[in-house]
């Protein structure tokens, strides 16, 4: 049986309803023809019941807003055996090599600001506390075998496939 499909975004300090209100749509729950079969919701990833497990869990530019290890453990708990956790995260620069690599992003960031049509300050902005080295060290403990790549715009990607033989006893009942 396929795992349920859903996407959710962490929004610390705000808790959505546990289930869609009966009979009327809520601004926090949205199902549209363009997203048939996918439930989009805002939730506090650390405390709200997000269901699962899921085939695919993504965390886009949000992990640095959470306590790193508890946040990564929670995301891991949402992935079914054989499923994938994909993180696009931000890491604090550490050392000359990081600063030199980030320098390539400066002109691209300026150019992107000129052409993008989304509101520049629509999302909460918080600088990352951990360096990529520190994020990798936590990931080695929590999601061993995760693959990292440094990206432009001060970001990194992390891909982890949960082993088919479930070795992580972290199913959380809320």
């Amino acid at each position: 049986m396929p795992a349920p499909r859903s996407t959710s975004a962490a929004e610390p300090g705000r808790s959505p309803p546990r289930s869609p209100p009966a009979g009327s749509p809520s601004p926090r729950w949205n199902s549209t023809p363009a997203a048939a079969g996918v439930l989009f919701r805002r939730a506090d990833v650390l405390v709200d019941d997000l269901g699962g497990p899921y085939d695919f869990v993504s965390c886009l530019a949000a992990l640095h807003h959470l306590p790193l290890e508890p946040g990564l453990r929670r995301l891991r708990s949402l992935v079914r055996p054989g499923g994938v956790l994909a993180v696009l995260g931000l890491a604090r620069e550490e050392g000359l090599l990081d600063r030199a690599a980030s320098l390539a992003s400066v002109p691209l960031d300026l150019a992107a600001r000129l052409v993008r049509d989304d509101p520049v300050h629509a999302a909460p902005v918080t600088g990352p506390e951990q360096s990529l080295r520190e994020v990798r060290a936590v990931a080695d403990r929590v999601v061993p075998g995760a693959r990292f790549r440094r990206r432009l715009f001060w970001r990194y990607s992390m891909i982890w496939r949960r082993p088919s033989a479930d070795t992580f006893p972290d199913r959380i009942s809320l």
Side-chain angles (χ1 to χ4, degrees), residues 6-171:
S6 176
T7 69
S8 59
E11 190 172 45
R14 295 178 72 184
S15 296
R18 299 266 178 204
S19 60
S24 67
S26 163
R28 292 190 176 193
W29 293 83
N30 182 21
S31 181
T32 63
V38 177
L39 176 67
F40 294 89
R41 53 184 280 219
R42 287 188 204 169
D44 184 329
V45 70
L46 293 177
V47 298
D48 286 338
D49 180 359
L50 301 177
Y54 299 102
D55 295 325
F56 184 80
V57 174
S58 66
C59 181
L60 303 176
L63 188 57
H64 69 284
H65 291 275
L66 305 172
L68 179 59
E69 188 156 346
L72 202 50
R73 285 186 186 283
R74 175 66 165 145
L75 292 170
R76 176 188 75 190
S77 76
L78 297 171
V79 179
R80 72 159 177 79
V84 172
L85 170 62
V87 173
L88 180 63
L90 280 78
R92 177 178 48 81
E93 292 175 328
E94 179 181 66
L96 292 175
L97 186 59
D98 280 350
R99 285 180 180 82
S102 293
L103 193 58
S105 293
V106 172
L108 295 170
D109 185 52
L110 293 172
R113 288 173 190 251
L114 294 174
V115 298
R116 72 175 168 216
D117 61 357
D118 60 324
V120 175
H121 299 291
V125 176
T126 300
E129 294 181 15
Q130 290 88 11
S131 67
L132 185 54
R133 179 185 54 78
E134 293 166 323
V135 173
R136 284 180 195 237
V138 171
D140 284 345
R141 290 191 307 271
V142 178
V143 287
R147 297 184 329 262
F148 281 83
R149 281 190 80 180
R150 192 177 196 328
R151 304 288 180 175
L152 289 175
F153 300 108
W154 305 274
R155 287 169 170 71
Y156 65 88
S157 61
M158 182 195 83
I159 304 293
W160 176 70
R161 180 173 299 276
R162 186 178 197 121
S164 293
D166 197 353
T167 58
F168 300 103
D170 59 2
R171 294 307 319 149

